[in-house]
Amino acid sequence: MDMNQLFMQSMANTRGLCHPDCEKASSEQEDYDASQHAAMVAVNLISSARVIFKLDSGYTEYSAQYLVDNAGKEDDQGERDQQSSQLTIENLLQYMEANVWNKREDVQGERVQHLTVKDCLECAFKNGLPRREQWAHVGCTFKAPPFACHIPRVPMKGEVIETKSLDEALKLLKQQPVGARLHLFSPEIDRVGEGIYDGPSSNGSSYVGLRDAIIVAVDKSEGKFVATVKICYKKKTSFVKVCMNRMFVQLDGGDESQVKEPTGLLVDFCIPRLSVN
């Protein structure tokens, strides 16, 4: 068994496990950050589309953390030929010493802006995706080693389709689930449960921000058009019913991300249009 095979076998044996420092940091994080949310939505959209178009025989989970680690960065595929990218005992020990035994903060390459779902989808189409169990968990604080380029990736071909139009989004929904961004208000989103999320309801409402989500269906309920939306909020994934008729304006607050003109609760729609040939 060569080093690559040993590496893959080791990953299979330690699936779901990570360093105690990483587990502690993850438990202290109330929610995933914006880039992590975007990556999770991207891989969910891809997994769903690949089943619908019969590219996968069943729902296959792909690595969101791979997209967090690689999307929005310069192409590093040339590193395959560099000495540090070779999977050797020496390189493995150097990585362990620098990143595990004496963990250091890696400030180089730190992003100023968060990833978008589009960034993540484009990375997947460019580089392919490893399966979820073949890469680090979402939120892993350890830098991926250069020799991780040897981990097999499933090729992905396609393009990102975006629209601001709700009508266009509904047309896309007839083919596959649609990515979107949902305006979140608290305490309404915390209390919605099995009800319908209708945005801000009183002067006590607090704007949380935009959160990447997936529209999986649209129905009519109590005279309103209601979208069933898959969303991860405070690290819990759930399906929330969202009123599509509601429009609102947010006037106060200095945050540029807050709404200054009439808008619906769901905005910024996109899908991965996969090439099936």
Side-chain angles (χ1 to χ4, degrees):
M1 185 177 290
D2 62 23
M3 281 295 296
N4 285 335
Q5 292 172 319
L6 286 171
F7 181 49
M8 295 303 296
Q9 183 62 50
S10 175
M11 291 182 61
N13 293 339
T14 58
R15 177 180 176 181
L17 301 177
C18 200
H19 193 280
D21 289 350
C22 183
E23 294 179 352
K24 182 176 183 293
S26 179
S27 66
E28 292 174 349
Q29 185 183 12
E30 182 183 18
D31 201 355
Y32 297 111
D33 67 26
S35 293
Q36 292 163 350
H37 279 290
M40 289 188 290
V41 165
V43 294
N44 268 269
L45 289 171
I46 286 174
S47 294
S48 299
R50 287 181 65 86
V51 171
I52 291 170
F53 295 108
K54 296 180 172 56
L55 295 173
D56 288 336
S57 58
Y59 189 89
T60 303
E61 293 183 303
Y62 295 97
S63 173
Q65 186 61 33
Y66 173 84
L67 296 175
V68 174
D69 291 339
N70 292 280
K73 294 184 178 180
E74 294 295 327
D75 185 9
D76 62 356
Q77 295 308 301
E79 294 184 358
R80 286 179 180 272
D81 298 326
Q82 296 181 7
Q83 185 65 30
S84 62
S85 298
Q86 302 307 309
L87 184 51
T88 65
I89 293 294
E90 180 183 2
N91 286 342
L92 180 58
L93 291 174
Q94 288 177 351
Y95 171 80
M96 294 293 289
E97 181 178 8
N99 296 278
V100 181
W101 298 327
N102 300 298
K103 189 173 187 299
R104 65 190 180 196
E105 295 296 327
D106 178 28
V107 295
Q108 296 182 354
E110 185 177 352
R111 293 188 183 88
V112 176
Q113 295 182 334
H114 289 298
L115 295 173
T116 65
V117 174
K118 180 182 180 181
D119 293 331
C120 294
L121 292 174
E122 288 179 341
C123 177
F125 290 146
K126 182 178 182 180
N127 298 334
L129 280 176
R131 291 181 171 82
R132 183 179 63 84
E133 65 272 14
Q134 295 176 329
W135 203 265
H137 64 86
V138 176
C140 183
T141 60
F142 288 86
K143 177 183 177 181
F147 45 80
C149 65
H150 296 289
I151 294 175
R153 297 191 293 269
V154 177
M156 306 281 171
K157 295 182 179 180
E159 61 178 332
V160 183
I161 305 298
E162 297 181 288
T163 180
K164 299 286 186 181
S165 166
L166 179 58
D167 289 338
E168 290 299 318
L170 294 178
K171 292 179 182 177
L172 295 174
L173 186 61
K174 295 178 181 179
Q175 306 168 22
Q176 63 191 84
V178 173
R181 303 179 79 196
L182 176 63
H183 286 285
L184 294 187
F185 290 86
S186 181
E188 289 78 12
I189 190 63
D190 301 281
R191 300 174 178 173
V192 63
E194 298 296 323
I196 297 176
Y197 175 64
D198 209 16
S201 59
S202 66
N203 291 333
S205 297
S206 173
Y207 184 65
V208 176
L210 282 165
R211 179 61 48 83
D212 290 302
I214 300 174
I215 305 173
V216 298
V218 173
D219 300 293
K220 196 168 185 179
S221 176
E222 301 176 4
K224 302 176 181 179
F225 284 101
V226 175
T228 300
V229 175
K230 183 179 181 180
I231 185 170
C232 182
Y233 178 61
K234 294 184 178 179
K235 290 190 173 180
K236 294 182 179 179
T237 300
S238 61
F239 290 90
V240 176
K241 295 179 180 178
V242 178
C243 179
M244 302 186 71
N245 301 90
R246 178 70 186 273
M247 302 290 290
F248 71 95
V249 178
Q250 179 134 343
L251 298 176
D252 58 343
D255 188 345
E256 292 183 358
S257 67
Q258 294 192 12
V259 179
K260 302 297 191 301
E261 59 185 28
T263 182
L265 293 171
L266 287 163
V267 296
D268 300 339
F269 311 100
C270 70
I271 64 165
R273 177 164 289 168
L274 302 180
S275 298
V276 296
N277 297 328

